[in-house]
Amino acid sequence: MRLFEYQAKQLFAEAGLPTPRGAVANTPEEAAAAAQGLGRVVVKAQVHVGGRGKAGFIKLADNPEEAAAHARRMLGAELKGYTVHQVLIEQALDIAKEYYLGAVLDRDGKQIVVLFSTVGGMDIEEVAATAPDKLIRLAPDPLVGPQNFQLQEMVFQAGVDPKVFRAVVSAAATVWKLFQRYDASLVEINPLVITGAGEVVAADGKFEVDDSALYRHPELERFRQAGDEDPLEAEARKRNLNYVRLSGDIGIMANGAGLAMNTMDVVAAHGGKPANFLDVSGGARADVVRSALDLILQDTKVKGVFINIFGGITRGDEVARGVVEGVKQLGVQVPIVVRMAGTREEEGRAILREANLVPATSAADGAEKIIALLREKGA
Ligand code: GDP
Ligand code: MN
């Protein structure tokens, strides 16, 4: 889950890291109200992309009317494919310096690294490319976390103004703490602003939380917004189904994440394009299968479904009955191929055949059959 800038800043502020005064607005009127009493403000579009400044989605305003005018222009507009639904109105900063501070999961190094640079404001990739010596990296022991002296050394190496040294070190410690506490994959403050008065302020914020860890953070629910998540994936979560929407036209259902991935691979290897990943887990009962099939078919791209169930605990006749019942109840129009292996597979296949569904004997056989059926229909 990616947080918006204003949400990231909320977490920063709660952790004691200074952020500019301000509020989020959904309408130009709200923007004007938020700007009231703040003097000069900055109007910032809340979208999940960077480079807003250059694109004209960060604007200074001298009074509430101007703030409303900027908000009116930004709200509903598109930036790199994202529609702006909210703007953040903040007291403008007296910027003396812009630093960069971040923590990111380094997948190659299998560890979290803290990054700091006195060259902030621009893309950190650009700093890394043009002035690599200006980007200081700290890879602390993940279990112990960065020791204060390590953070001090990092900030010292970067060469910050001694007046803000302690505040920057403390900001770095906070970033690490937040990263750990929320199971983040990225926390970034760019720029970390040093004001004319020598304060250290988080002027921007990026925060990404590992989706697999979200169940451990019910306190982040408040940041979830309608329309944030794919509607089908949200529905799947409600139904306790493990579903990821993809771009193809062949719906996939399997029991077990490994088998689901393998089924996608087999379909792809035979020239088909999976429309989703869906794992109905262990004992796929009829009601679960029906619910899963219903979900898959809500994706209007789906032109056919391949169900791959490996039995054991899962009974083939149960699965077959679930599919048949589901197909009947849902009024399914698209071809469905089912491969079942394991307990009572013969009984299962008989039930399928009776209902005019297509049984397959192996994953490869199933993939070939569903692809052939789609071609037939397409022709
Ligand atoms: P980004 O372009 O999407 O990364 O948005 P930022 O929040 O980083 O803003 C881009 C730039 O706007 C900053 O690097 C500043 O140089 C500039 N800026 C000018 N005045 C202000 C201000 O009062 N607040 C903030 N946040 N940025 C300002
Ligand atoms: Mn930025």
Side-chain angles (χ1 to χ4, degrees):
M1 173 158 98
R2 276 185 297 185
L3 302 190
F4 286 109
E5 176 193 3
Y6 77 93
Q7 299 171 330
K9 282 175 164 171
Q10 228 163 292
L11 295 183
F12 296 158
E14 283 167 18
L17 211 163
T19 56
R21 277 179 63 193
V24 74
N26 296 287
T27 64
E29 295 71 32
E30 281 179 24
Q36 209 63 247
L38 289 184
R40 195 171 160 78
V41 295
V42 60
V43 182
K44 313 183 75 179
Q46 297 301 287
V47 278
H48 290 307
V49 285
R52 293 166 301 168
K54 279 178 224 154
F57 283 77
I58 292 180
K59 287 286 183 191
L60 289 165
D62 282 320
N63 51 56
E65 294 73 46
E66 248 181 65
H70 285 310
R72 188 167 295 119
R73 194 177 44 78
M74 289 179 196
L75 290 165
E78 254 191 38
L79 177 57
K80 299 177 188 168
Y82 290 83
T83 307
V84 181
H85 296 296
Q86 290 176 307
V87 292
L88 177 63
I89 310 295
E90 278 182 349
Q91 195 158 42
L93 293 168
D94 168 25
I95 299 177
K97 290 201 176 79
E98 300 190 18
Y99 294 164
Y100 174 97
L101 173 62
V104 65
L105 188 64
D106 172 3
R107 289 178 195 277
D108 293 331
K110 301 188 178 68
Q111 57 191 346
I112 303 163
V113 293
V114 181
L115 298 167
F116 180 73
S117 176
T118 51
V119 184
M122 59 161 114
D123 274 358
I124 199 60
E125 288 81 3
E126 208 178 318
V127 178
T130 58
D133 53 317
K134 293 279 184 198
L135 182 61
I136 316 293
R137 249 175 79 104
L138 173 65
D141 182 311
L143 294 178
V144 183
Q147 301 304 291
N148 216 40
F149 74 87
Q150 292 178 305
L151 294 172
Q152 286 173 345
E153 190 183 17
M154 173 184 78
V155 176
F156 182 76
Q157 253 190 62
V160 306
D161 187 336
K163 279 196 299 245
V164 298
F165 180 80
R166 285 170 64 106
V168 172
V169 168
S170 144
T174 303
V175 162
W176 176 275
K177 199 176 72 188
L178 286 171
F179 193 102
Q180 288 276 5
R181 156 138 188 236
Y182 290 109
D183 293 307
S185 49
L186 172 77
V187 178
E188 189 182 83
I189 303 174
N190 187 25
L192 181 71
V193 160
I194 312 302
T195 67
E199 293 149 322
V200 174
V201 183
D204 191 9
K206 270 199 193 141
F207 210 114
E208 292 179 16
V209 179
D210 185 337
D211 285 333
S212 307
L214 276 177
Y215 74 98
R216 302 209 289 206
H217 304 289
E219 72 276 24
L220 293 178
E221 275 300 317
R222 64 188 155 139
F223 291 144
R224 203 188 280 284
Q225 297 199 335
D228 254 9
E229 201 180 4
D230 181 289
L232 282 186
E233 291 181 8
E235 179 59 30
R237 211 157 35 77
K238 278 189 215 146
R239 298 185 185 195
N240 262 324
L241 295 168
N242 205 346
Y243 171 92
V244 179
R245 198 207 294 239
L246 301 167
S247 57
D249 53 6
I250 298 177
I252 304 284
M253 185 196 310
N255 60 333
L259 185 62
M261 283 191 274
N262 180 249
T263 307
M264 285 161 46
D265 283 352
V266 173
V267 165
H270 284 81
K273 289 203 173 66
N276 66 275
F277 164 96
L278 197 160
D279 161 24
V280 286
S281 27
R285 295 185 323 275
D287 56 335
V288 180
V289 172
R290 174 158 29 85
S291 167
L293 189 57
D294 173 53
L295 186 82
I296 289 173
L297 292 167
Q298 282 183 33
D299 180 351
T300 51
K301 296 191 309 299
V302 172
K303 303 227 166 58
V305 181
F306 178 23
I307 301 174
N308 190 3
I309 303 289
F310 190 82
I313 307 169
T314 310
R315 283 170 37 179
D317 55 340
E318 268 258 19
V319 174
R321 236 173 265 121
V323 175
V324 170
E325 197 185 314
V327 168
K328 223 186 287 164
Q329 284 183 7
L330 302 168
V332 177
Q333 303 295 326
V334 302
I336 296 184
V337 174
V338 187
R339 180 253 177 161
M340 284 178 309
T343 314
R344 306 181 79 149
E345 59 179 64
E346 281 309 325
E347 288 91 332
R349 271 188 220 123
I351 293 170
L352 292 173
R353 252 183 240 108
E354 239 166 73
N356 282 324
L357 299 176
V358 184
T361 51
S362 68
D365 179 42
E368 273 166 22
K369 280 182 170 147
I370 191 68
I371 291 166
L373 283 164
L374 253 64
R375 292 226 172 100
E376 243 170 64
K377 276 190 52 170

